[in-house]
Amino acid sequence: MDWINFPAFAGITFLSWISGATLVNFSSKKKSLETAGTLLVIAGIAALTLFVVMLWINLERPPLRTLGETRLWYSLFLPFVGVITYFRWRYKWFLTYALALASLFLMINYLNPETYSKTLMPALQSPWFVPHVIVYIFSYALLAASSLVAVKGLYQLYYREINLKVLKLADNLVYIGFSFLTLGLLFGALWAKEAWGHYWTWDPKETWAFLTWLCYLGYMHFRHFQPKKVKAPLWALSVAFIVLLICWFGINYLPSAANSVHVYGD
Amino acid sequence: MNIENKKSRRKTWEHPWKYKESFLVVLELIFLGLIFEVLSGGKGAPLLKWPVNMGVGAGMVLLLFIIYYGFKSRPMVKWLSSVPAAISAISFFALVVLLLGFIPQDDANANRYLKLLGLTHMKNSWLMMVSGMYFLTSLGLVALRRATPIRRKNLGFLLNHAGLWITIAAGYLGAGDLMRLNLTVLEEHGGMSQAVNQRTQQSYTLPFSVKLIDFNIENYNPKIAILDGRTGSVVFEDGKFLQFIEQGLKATLMDWDVEVLEYEPATFMNEKGYYKTDSVGNAPAAYVKAINSISGEEKEGWISCGSFRVMYQHLALDNHNFLVMTFPEPEKYSSDIVIDDGEREPLSLTLEVNKPFKYKGWKLYQLSYDERMGKWSMVSVIEAVRDPWLPVVYFGIFLLLGGALYLFWIGREIKE
């Protein structure tokens, strides 16, 4: 099994996901259609898992070295978490969102396979690498969605009638996103202890990740205390996302981040 | 909204305190922190060492219990464990972290007034200390309030709040006992136990010695690239990654179809070309052919990244474009060492990046090597870390991990 077989597997996976997501979203409360949709999604995940396993055996090393290989794992984990969340919360939109994001990664791999390897510095070669990155990517995706919802809420607030459902949705996104953010932060700390000798060194990325975490923490407390207030939390969510963006890639441009271990690229 | 208006008729500082008072308290604490810093001459808050930190920690816990159980119905204590106080504490902490994130830290050329206020060494400034204490006080009281009586539905709340309290308190108190030392060991030398403290640059004698038997590097293959002679830098095409050189590699770089006809990872050079050798200082070399896909022009020859023994070699494609080989990057490096504490049987092991070794309360890490010598480095730098508070921090972290999973699973359900 090799990257040559990728288009076939990706094709099967993509088709199962798109038909599965369609069935789940348009089942109009028909239980059997919804179950069939979920099964299709799981079948897609299974096909991709098979590909990853075979690739692993073929390469005689975990396929975690190249960027393309990492994207493969995103495409595998995102729907996995999507399905779990769906079983727990029945969020169709969430499953759809995870599948769409995963398909995007599949598409990038299909168009730009980069099967040749890219070097990975020794400190990054750790079992923590994948969970740390995947959990963060997932959390960022959720929090980005919560900010989109908040902007929609602000628009409603100023130009239309505010629908309080908007804030509920934002809250759910923030709660799940925040739990992943916490996991990412803690995985990072545990990894740092193994790789760099200490769990917390106020590396600029750590600093900004912690700041992001505090912003969402503040939001959650505010919502808990005054659930009737609308304007302030909506603004807070929009601002929190700016902090998150600085943390995500903005720190590459901050003077205080010149020596960060997280500044990638040349 | 109406309720809010009625409440705002309450005078400032009249209990129950809300956001306004909470943020005024924070403002006072900021001044307090800055004043302390200036009084200390911009040297920051002292790092507490064993056993003082243990005493302070025990004192903090005791004080929280006394305040809570002795005075929990006092308006002041009620306020400290209220959400407005929590939000003000989070904001204060966030402000401090924001300053830390924006102002370059530990910069020798920093403005002296910034330094006097502690803004260039935020992590051990008085401002950080004061905000941390306020944060821990509020957090601790909240945790205690939910912990009594202990109920199952408060489990997630407790995991998160107590976990955070323990993690931050132990991390802060343990900072003074944390020792991070650099131990430089050389091949063909005896055991070394003299290490240098990374923070203070002071010498420290470890309770054991480390002897370097062999230092190993496994390199990735070098990569093939086009160097633009006008800029002196490698041409990246659309951010594509450079390809590893291997026998038979075919690649398209700009307008050139390049083929690697021969690749030798370890060579020396003489007048006839490159030949295989195991000798010290060898370098990888490749015989390449490049065909211009537009003009059909053909070039071929040897390229090598060179080493301190072998000459660098490129293949000129035109006036300013050169086909070059990059230096191989390390894939992994490790040290075969022997540890001896003078009592037990000496211990042989291999230290590798990301695979530290625990020994007598110390953790040993492969840190670096002589990069100029690359795979012939006779030197290995080992980091020795002692952090007696780590188990407490980890306990807090594991509570938080549990709390995060709980939060994911339960979500907003509790309150609705």
Side-chain angles (χ1 to χ4, degrees), chain B residues 21-39:
Chain B
E21 289 84 357
S22 305
F23 279 96
L24 285 171
V25 166
V26 164
L27 205 62
E28 287 168 17
L29 290 174
I30 290 175
F31 280 117
L32 195 70
L34 292 176
I35 288 168
F36 274 141
E37 186 70 44
V38 172
L39 288 179

Side-chain angles (χ1 to χ4, degrees), chain B residues 208-225:
Chain B
F208 51 84
S209 74
V210 178
K211 189 174 162 183
L212 180 63
I213 305 301
D214 193 16
F215 175 76
N216 308 296
I217 290 193
E218 277 176 40
N219 281 332
Y220 286 111
N221 280 3
K223 294 170 187 168
I224 196 158

Side-chain angles (χ1 to χ4, degrees), chain B residues 250-271:
Chain B
K250 286 186 181 137
T252 306
L253 299 166
M254 304 202 337
D255 298 332
W256 297 87
D257 292 321
V258 179
E259 190 180 353
V260 176
L261 300 175
E262 204 180 326
Y263 173 66
E264 284 299 342
T267 65
F268 269 175
M269 192 180 91
N270 61 18
E271 59 282 355

Side-chain angles (χ1 to χ4, degrees), chain A residues 120-184:
Chain A
L120 199 57
M121 60 187 270
L124 291 187
Q125 297 164 20
S126 159
W128 288 107
F129 186 37
V130 175
H132 174 70
V133 175
I134 285 179
V135 160
Y136 257 120
I137 290 284
F138 203 67
S139 158
Y140 284 4
L142 285 166
L143 295 174
S146 82
S147 292
L148 279 180
V149 171
V151 170
K152 185 181 168 193
L154 281 175
Y155 173 78
Q156 286 182 343
L157 188 69
Y158 287 105
Y159 300 104
R160 302 270 161 86
E161 193 79 3
I162 178 84
N163 183 352
L164 283 175
K165 265 191 184 162
V166 165
L167 259 178
K168 273 228 171 107
L169 177 60
D171 280 352
N172 278 327
L173 284 167
V174 169
Y175 267 68
I176 305 176
F178 184 79
S179 61
F180 276 87
L181 196 66
T182 311
L183 289 179

Side-chain angles (χ1 to χ4, degrees), chain B residues 29-70:
Chain B
L29 290 174
I30 290 175
F31 280 117
L32 195 70
L34 292 176
I35 288 168
F36 274 141
E37 186 70 44
V38 172
L39 288 179
S40 80
K43 291 211 169 57
L47 272 176
L48 305 176
K49 284 187 168 36
W50 185 266
V52 179
N53 48 9
M54 185 66 210
V56 170
M60 275 160 64
V61 174
L62 199 67
L63 206 63
L64 281 176
F65 272 87
I66 292 173
I67 291 175
Y68 182 72
Y69 285 102

Side-chain angles (χ1 to χ4, degrees), chain B residues 34-181:
Chain B
L34 292 176
I35 288 168
F36 274 141
E37 186 70 44
V38 172
L39 288 179
S40 80
K43 291 211 169 57
L47 272 176
L48 305 176
K49 284 187 168 36
W50 185 266
V52 179
N53 48 9
M54 185 66 210
V56 170
M60 275 160 64
V61 174
L62 199 67
L63 206 63
L64 281 176
F65 272 87
I66 292 173
I67 291 175
Y68 182 72
Y69 285 102
F71 310 93
K72 69 174 156 190
S73 49
R74 295 284 174 93
M76 189 75 181
V77 178
K78 275 190 173 163
W79 162 71
L80 264 173
S81 59
S82 72
V83 175
I87 290 183
S88 74
I90 293 170
S91 309
F92 186 12
F93 212 26
L95 174 75
V96 173
V97 178
L98 187 72
L99 291 172
L100 175 60
F102 263 123
I103 302 170
Q105 298 290 298
D106 304 313
D107 177 4
N109 307 316
N111 180 302
R112 55 188 279 255
Y113 295 106
L114 285 184
K115 210 171 169 183
L116 190 64
L117 291 173
L119 303 182
T120 56
H121 50 270
M122 287 307 288
K123 47 196 136 177
N124 48 4
S125 67
W126 276 100
L127 205 54
M128 176 70 101
M129 164 90 132
V130 170
S131 78
M133 282 300 160
Y134 181 51
F135 191 88
L136 286 177
T137 310
S138 171
L139 181 62
L141 288 174
V142 174
L144 278 179
R145 190 155 83 170
R146 278 289 179 103
T148 47
I150 200 149
R151 281 202 218 112
R152 216 178 130 201
K153 71 172 181 125
N154 285 341
L155 180 70
F157 187 97
L158 264 182
L159 284 174
N160 281 317
H161 288 76
L164 187 60
W165 197 92
I166 292 169
T167 309
I168 292 183
Y172 159 69
L173 291 170
D177 289 337
L178 172 72
M179 270 207 277
R180 303 183 68 182
L181 314 172

